[in-house]
Amino acid sequence: MYNLERDVWLKIKENLRCFLDKDVYETYFEPINDVYKVENNEIYLLVDSVFIKNRIEKIYLSKMNLLLSKHLKDCSFVVVSRDEMSSPESNKNKLSFSKTNASGLNPNYTFSNFVVGDSNRFAHHIATLVADKLASVANPVYIFGDVGLGKTHLMQAIGNYISYSKPDLKTLYIRTQDFFTEYVKAGSKPGGYEVFSKHYDNVDVLLVDDVQFLESKDKTQIEFFKIFEKLSNEGKLIVLTSDRKASDLTNIMTRLTSRFEWGVSLDINKPDKTHRINILCAKLKQEGVDLDGFPKETLDFIASVCDSNIRELEGALKTFLFYCNVYDCDYSVENAKEALKNNISLNESTKDIFAPTQEIKKILDVVSTYFRINQDALLSSSRKREIVYARQLCFYILRNKYNLTFSKIGSIFNGKDHTTVMHGYQMFEREYNSSDEAKQNVENVLRKMGKNPNTI
Ligand code: ADP
Ligand code: MG
């Protein structure tokens, strides 16, 4: 029934299989062959006992959710056990499973766990004022910025604050994608549109996430416009988020985008390194990790390799904590390098740190023995045909297997210029794509290094 979610779960399951010890995998995950149900962006997995459920929740759930966020944004896993499902309390339990409340808000997104820095200080300040004084501050509030920088968090913090401080007001959070789907569904039922628009009639605070998804959806835009007009004329607060400035949205009617700009526009930018470290510290505290026992060097390392967005930063930290938990190892920077080598899209300047020097040494050893040439010659500028070939094969492996930059490879080969390396790499790549012999040589070298030859 839930094909998409099932496929995603099976992919994640496979990922866990590669990552976990065989016994752990077979006990906890192997039996889960399907999703149990999907509700409110939550994917339910059914396990045999409360014990297994608790273990998964305690040790693996954050990692599973991290993997999930790469496939389905804003979804999360919920683990339920058969015992719970069959108990008379099950209905009660079912309700408490949901992390979101009636307004659609996730209670974890609050001001108190939103870490402020230069990149979001102004947005945060205005958001707190709005949460307190509603539309009298500005209406609508339009929050924009790149993915993973905290727009949803800040918007929901406004909603959670209002729900708490003014419980009589009806606050409603909706993702634009869901607004669109609901609207399309409404069209398929008699009287559906009326029911749809009535849903928004008594709303006091409307939070609409990712309005860029209105682009090119003409009918939905018209309906949205009507709701927007009605609520804003009544002085009801509207908060919107988007991945762009309102004026940069295309294929949305200008009467709508111009209204988006009527109130206040708040941009959120990328956090600088100090801010990223502060965010990591806050997340560690939330995870119950003692900051004194967490090396500064490791914090610095994670903050350096994840410099593009907070979701990735948070994900890297969770992966690392998960890794330390599974392998029962300490929070050293070496372990962080190992844990994160496959999980994050590293920026160009930090790729190099992931090729351990022993591996580089190993390639040089294996290649020189394999081609029966002297290692000094391999590293030299000799133009002898067989030496050039072996050297270029090294470039090829170092680039494709270890993601090294051409400059880094150049520095290994006695300071060769990166353009020389790139040229050599391209020569070999051509050879590799056209000759079985080159492929065979790469495979043999990898095999002798103890690597899987199919992973290049
Ligand atoms: P966006 O909506 O901009 O794509 P989100 O609001 O979903 O980003 O944020 C991604 C993740 O990063 C969430 O888990 C969120 O809690 C976290 N996050 C974002 N900004 C902050 C912040 N300033 N302090 C703490 N956590 C943050
Ligand atoms: Mg978002």
Side-chain angles (χ1 to χ4, degrees):
M1 188 155 79
Y2 307 106
N3 284 338
L4 171 67
E5 289 81 1
R6 179 171 179 272
D7 287 351
V8 169
W9 162 242
L10 292 178
K11 272 193 200 134
I12 292 175
K13 187 175 157 183
E14 180 55 22
N15 211 303
L16 290 166
R17 192 180 64 75
C18 301
F19 198 73
L20 296 174
D21 281 347
K22 196 163 169 282
D23 288 352
V24 172
Y25 172 77
E26 285 177 358
T27 313
Y28 297 146
F29 299 105
E30 170 70 32
I32 315 175
N33 288 319
D34 205 346
V35 304
Y36 176 64
K37 67 170 179 175
V38 180
E39 226 172 69
N40 296 330
N41 282 352
E42 292 180 321
I43 302 177
Y44 286 67
L45 301 174
L46 187 60
V47 297
D48 282 340
S49 68
V50 174
F51 173 78
I52 294 182
K53 166 191 151 88
N54 290 343
R55 295 295 293 170
I56 294 183
E57 280 181 347
K58 187 154 184 281
I59 310 176
Y60 308 105
L61 194 59
S62 56
K63 167 75 178 172
M64 289 157 62
N65 281 331
L66 170 69
L67 295 171
L68 179 62
S69 66
K70 293 187 178 163
H71 299 277
L72 294 172
K73 233 175 117 217
D74 296 331
C75 280
S76 55
F77 284 118
V78 174
V79 185
V80 289
S81 74
R82 281 183 212 288
D83 319 359
E84 286 170 315
M85 299 320 287
S86 55
S87 86
E89 294 280 275
S90 63
N91 280 341
K92 195 174 104 199
N93 284 340
K94 258 186 222 160
L95 286 176
S96 67
F97 289 148
S98 176
K99 270 199 303 169
T100 50
N101 54 32
S103 53
L105 291 167
N106 178 338
N108 297 327
Y109 289 147
T110 60
F111 285 125
S112 63
N113 59 18
F114 187 84
V115 181
V116 181
D118 288 346
S119 63
N120 59 20
R121 196 179 311 283
F122 182 67
H124 171 264
H125 176 64
I126 301 295
T128 55
L129 292 181
V130 167
D132 207 24
K133 305 243 167 12
L134 308 180
S136 66
V137 178
N139 203 25
V141 177
Y142 184 91
I143 305 171
F144 69 96
D146 277 345
V147 66
L149 295 182
K151 303 180 296 292
T152 301
H153 188 140
L154 193 59
M155 161 188 262
Q156 294 216 15
I158 298 176
N160 277 315
Y161 184 92
I162 296 172
S163 297
Y164 178 76
S165 58
K166 302 174 181 66
D168 296 341
L169 296 188
K170 184 173 173 196
T171 301
L172 184 68
Y173 165 86
I174 182 139
R175 301 180 327 144
T176 304
Q177 303 92 307
D178 295 336
F179 182 90
F180 167 72
T181 319
E182 291 300 320
Y183 182 67
V184 172
K185 261 200 237 159
S188 64
K189 291 178 206 145
Y193 287 132
E194 255 169 52
V195 177
F196 178 85
S197 59
K198 255 201 155 36
H199 185 62
Y200 294 89
D201 268 359
N202 305 316
V203 169
D204 297 298
V205 177
L206 179 65
L207 312 167
V208 187
D209 212 352
D210 290 320
V211 289
Q212 73 275 7
F213 285 107
L214 285 172
E215 282 180 333
S216 306
K217 301 190 174 75
D218 297 351
K219 278 178 146 183
T220 314
Q221 285 176 31
I222 293 169
E223 183 61 26
F224 187 78
F225 181 76
K226 277 197 257 164
I227 294 169
F228 186 99
E229 276 291 273
K230 179 174 178 296
L231 293 180
S232 64
N233 286 339
E234 290 169 358
K236 308 290 179 63
L237 176 66
I238 301 173
V239 184
L240 311 161
T241 73
S242 166
D243 66 355
R244 263 158 289 160
K245 255 193 205 152
S247 55
D248 289 345
L249 293 169
T250 47
N251 297 321
I252 297 192
M253 5 189 251
T254 38
R255 59 184 158 140
L256 201 48
T257 50
S258 68
R259 271 167 182 71
F260 290 170
E261 291 177 311
W262 272 1
V264 64
S265 285
L266 306 172
D267 60 335
I268 301 192
N269 295 300
K270 283 187 185 175
D272 59 19
K273 188 151 168 212
T274 313
H275 191 184
R276 297 201 294 279
I277 291 183
N278 290 341
I279 292 171
L280 287 173
C281 291
K283 305 277 172 196
L284 282 169
K285 268 198 210 152
Q286 275 167 35
E287 298 285 333
V289 176
D290 175 18
L291 276 182
D292 293 336
F294 200 92
K296 298 255 168 321
E297 205 193 353
T298 306
L299 276 180
D300 201 87
F301 168 75
I302 300 176
S304 306
V305 292
C306 301
D307 62 354
S308 58
N309 81 57
I310 300 175
R311 185 174 293 127
E312 195 175 275
L313 182 72
E314 193 175 54
L317 182 67
K318 283 186 182 164
T319 300
F320 177 50
L321 295 179
F322 173 76
Y323 178 93
C324 294
N325 205 331
V326 171
Y327 292 108
D328 197 19
C329 59
D330 62 28
Y331 298 134
S332 69
V333 74
E334 283 71 32
N335 286 333
K337 286 181 187 175
E338 192 55 32
L340 299 182
K341 66 180 180 197
N342 297 323
N343 278 59
I344 45 178
S345 47
L346 301 165
N347 57 51
E348 198 55 30
S349 60
T350 52
K351 274 181 181 169
D352 297 356
I353 37 193
F354 285 96
T357 22
Q358 326 71 286
E359 291 293 292
I360 295 174
K361 204 175 155 310
K362 212 184 220 172
I363 296 184
L364 299 177
D365 285 346
V366 170
V367 170
S368 48
T369 316
Y370 180 75
F371 289 105
R372 296 207 187 87
I373 53 176
N374 184 306
Q375 203 173 111
D376 287 341
L378 188 64
L379 293 171
S380 73
S381 302
S382 163
R383 302 298 309 152
K384 265 187 151 175
R385 205 185 157 277
E386 65 275 26
I387 296 175
V388 171
Y389 182 92
R391 194 183 296 135
Q392 291 176 346
L393 179 141
C394 291
F395 296 174
Y396 188 80
I397 293 181
L398 286 167
R399 174 81 185 159
N400 285 357
K401 180 93 187 160
Y402 294 99
N403 272 340
L404 291 199
T405 58
F406 292 129
S407 324
K408 172 74 182 176
I409 300 175
S411 69
I412 297 167
F413 284 79
N414 285 336
K416 284 196 177 27
D417 186 70
H418 77 277
T419 49
T420 312
V421 177
M422 188 166 76
H423 178 69
Y425 168 86
Q426 287 167 345
M427 298 272 287
F428 192 86
E429 192 183 37
R430 237 170 278 143
E431 188 82 13
Y432 184 88
N433 289 331
S434 59
S435 117
D436 285 345
E437 195 195 346
K439 278 198 196 80
Q440 199 57 58
N441 284 333
V442 170
E443 277 184 31
N444 290 345
V445 166
L446 287 173
R447 216 172 268 120
K448 283 183 192 299
M449 288 177 65
K451 303 281 168 203
N452 179 351
N454 300 321
T455 55
I456 196 113

